Amino acid sequence: MPTFVLWVKAELEGVKSLSFPFPSTTWTFDVQQAAGSETREGVVMDPEEARRTATAGDGVANFALKFPGDKRQSYVKFLAPGEKHKELEKHKLRAQTADDGDLVPVLAMECRGLEPIKWHPTGAHA
């Protein structure tokens, strides 16, 4: 299953770190149908919201939608920091500190049938 990792880089002038508490942070993305060109803008996803779906591997996803013409629901499942997953072993999710000069991985999610194409920072960190 495809896994997407969100990397951020910010200038932290006078700020010690930039963090996104998991699972209490909601995320807003534009998403695109994986096998097509259909898009949805400003989709709000909440890691604390679990939905039962027949298409998710374990039957649970944090967000689901069905694009026109698709036979199955598309879904997103957020990966918790520290969860056993091959992408999290390669990219440790963490806060960005003032000492970081490069991009930092802050979020990982499994996606089936859709792809996040744009992140819209909202809330206290916007």
Side-chain angles (χ1 to χ4, degrees), residues 31-34 36-40 67-68:
V31 296
Q32 180 174 332
Q33 184 180 24
S37 59
E38 190 82 24
T39 61
R40 298 286 183 277
F67 287 103

Side-chain angles (χ1 to χ4, degrees), residues 18-38:
L18 173 65
S19 64
F20 303 90
F22 189 89
S24 60
T25 299
T26 57
W27 300 87
T28 305
F29 292 97
D30 293 349
V31 296
Q32 180 174 332
Q33 184 180 24
S37 59
E38 190 82 24

